[in-house]
Amino acid sequence: MKKLLLATAIAALSVSAAQAAPTIYGKAFVTMDYVNTDNGNEDSDSVQINSNSSRIGFKGSEAITANTDVIYQLEYGIDIDNDAEDNFKNRDTYLGLNNKTYGQFRFGHNQSTTDYVNNVLVSDAYFDNLGNFMADSGRVKNSVVWLAPKYQGLPLQIAAMYAADETSVEDSSDRNSGFGVSAMFDQGTGFTAGLAYDKDVNIKEGGDIIRGSATVDMSKFASLPLTLGAMYQVADYDDTSEDEKGLLVSAALGLSNFAKPASIYAQYNTTSDVGGLENVDADQIVVGGRYFYKENMIAHAYVGANTIEVPNFDDRDEFAIGGGLEYKF
């Protein structure tokens, strides 16, 4: 009996230790890129070695009651090709609680909830962006994110964010704290739709963004491995007279005539009144492909170009082509 009790206690301790141990994860993604820039007065080019959102992270959870877990994530950006001082920059780093009734709370440095409805961006590497000219969502310091629990199986993920301005002021109206909300509809049938809004979160000078998105996975409706997406947003800058309007459309097609899984994609971005400045317009187009040696070993290739037009100035054109390898762990 004593041996049985001892074995049971050891097993229980082993389970507890396993639950408390963090998961270590990350990726290394490096490309070689040729970049040409022409601003009218100067035409320059370069060959670059670039690290693309490479990272390392630690995450986990541990129960404190029957219904509540402590959750944590410490994720840091790694610039593989650069000096040490450019490494270990905060990505999503937080400590929080996950309750079965009230949802999940994350306190720390969090991705803006506006990004929660961006499942339309398909480009990688040098062009992993909204055209470099459209107001984008980013990670926000001194913030708390709430992820609502699913209500009676409703296929809707609701999230909210508060971003604290910790400046010491005499008048609280001088403080510029922000907030954001988002909702993503996805019932697993091949169609998604999202809507997000934030104020004084992603536009640091002050302003708000409203973003809507939709995707359709054609493989759910026909024998065609094609996913189409579109995202539209309006950014209202407090210190300008115009609203910035941006559109992103994308298509990703799976290929079956290779020894390994592969896919190709195309993405187009267009922005008018960039930064709220009248008649400042920008466009970007990218095409590329991925080849999966294994699920966690992916070869990338792409080509793309963007341009921005500013009244009374020469257009600025950029062209880039490159390829590389991504390894996930």
Side-chain angles (χ1 to χ4, degrees):
M1 176 62 73
K2 290 182 178 179
K3 289 183 179 180
L4 179 60
L5 290 174
L6 180 60
T8 303
I10 292 173
L13 287 172
S14 299
V15 170
S16 297
Q19 289 176 336
T23 297
I24 301 174
Y25 67 96
K27 75 173 184 177
F29 183 10
V30 178
T31 55
M32 178 174 283
D33 309 304
Y34 168 78
V35 182
N36 176 266
T37 304
D38 182 1
N39 61 12
N41 297 321
E42 182 180 359
D43 189 338
S44 60
D45 59 9
S46 65
V47 176
Q48 305 174 5
I49 307 298
N50 289 312
S51 177
N52 304 279
S53 298
S54 300
R55 69 198 68 164
I56 187 169
F58 310 84
K59 63 182 178 180
S61 65
E62 187 170 349
I64 56 173
T65 71
N67 294 318
T68 304
D69 293 346
V70 170
I71 58 173
Y72 62 91
Q73 178 171 298
L74 307 172
E75 184 176 296
Y76 304 99
I78 305 294
D79 228 347
I80 293 175
D81 65 311
N82 226 319
D83 294 331
E85 60 264 24
D86 295 315
N87 285 319
F88 295 101
K89 294 182 178 179
N90 271 14
R91 289 174 58 86
D92 284 24
T93 54
Y94 58 80
L95 178 66
L97 297 170
N98 187 22
N99 181 272
K100 293 179 181 179
T101 302
Y102 300 108
Q104 190 174 124
F105 297 84
R106 301 175 178 178
F107 301 87
H109 188 256
N110 295 287
Q111 176 63 257
S112 162
T113 52
T114 303
D115 193 61
Y116 288 20
V117 303
N118 180 12
N119 57 348
V120 179
L121 183 74
V122 296
S123 58
D124 280 308
Y126 193 83
F127 289 106
D128 182 15
N129 53 56
L130 299 183
N132 285 328
F133 308 113
M134 191 189 306
D136 198 1
S137 52
R139 292 178 176 84
V140 184
K141 65 180 181 180
N142 306 321
S143 63
V144 55
V145 167
W146 172 60
L147 297 174
K150 294 291 182 67
Y151 177 72
Q152 295 184 353
L154 184 68
L156 190 67
Q157 179 63 70
I158 297 173
M161 163 178 270
Y162 173 74
D165 180 353
E166 298 184 346
T167 305
S168 296
V169 293
E170 294 183 1
D171 186 347
S172 61
S173 63
D174 293 333
R175 201 172 281 114
N176 199 35
S177 297
F179 70 92
V181 291
S182 69
M184 174 64 82
F185 174 83
D186 184 1
Q187 58 184 162
T189 60
F191 171 76
T192 72
L195 185 64
Y197 172 81
D198 73 61
K199 180 173 178 58
D200 297 337
V201 173
N202 290 299
I203 300 178
K204 303 306 180 185
E205 303 81 9
D208 54 348
I209 296 174
I210 185 167
R211 173 184 289 180
S213 67
T215 65
V216 178
D217 182 355
M218 300 301 296
S219 67
K220 300 289 187 179
F221 308 99
S223 57
L224 181 63
L226 175 67
T227 300
L228 303 173
M231 186 174 76
Y232 183 76
Q233 76 173 34
V234 177
D236 182 4
Y237 292 76
D238 289 347
D239 56 359
T240 63
S241 59
E242 302 296 325
D243 289 346
E244 176 191 275
K245 296 166 282 294
L247 172 68
L248 182 155
V249 292
S250 66
L253 176 67
L255 303 177
S256 58
N257 54 341
F258 288 88
K260 302 284 187 178
S263 64
I264 56 175
Y265 62 82
Q267 179 178 298
Y268 174 68
N269 313 55
T270 183
T271 311
S272 61
D273 299 327
V274 174
L277 302 176
E278 187 175 6
N279 295 326
V280 178
D281 302 324
D283 296 280
Q284 176 172 289
I285 186 166
V286 185
V287 295
R290 304 178 181 91
Y291 185 83
F292 293 79
Y293 293 105
K294 293 183 177 180
E295 187 175 351
N296 67 326
M297 299 179 188
I298 310 161
H300 294 261
Y302 76 91
V303 59
N306 61 44
T307 184
I308 182 167
E309 302 173 0
V310 180
N312 303 319
F313 289 91
D314 292 323
D315 296 351
R316 181 186 183 278
D317 300 308
E318 184 176 54
F319 169 84
I321 183 170
L325 181 66
E326 177 181 8
Y327 175 75
K328 299 179 180 179
F329 60 90

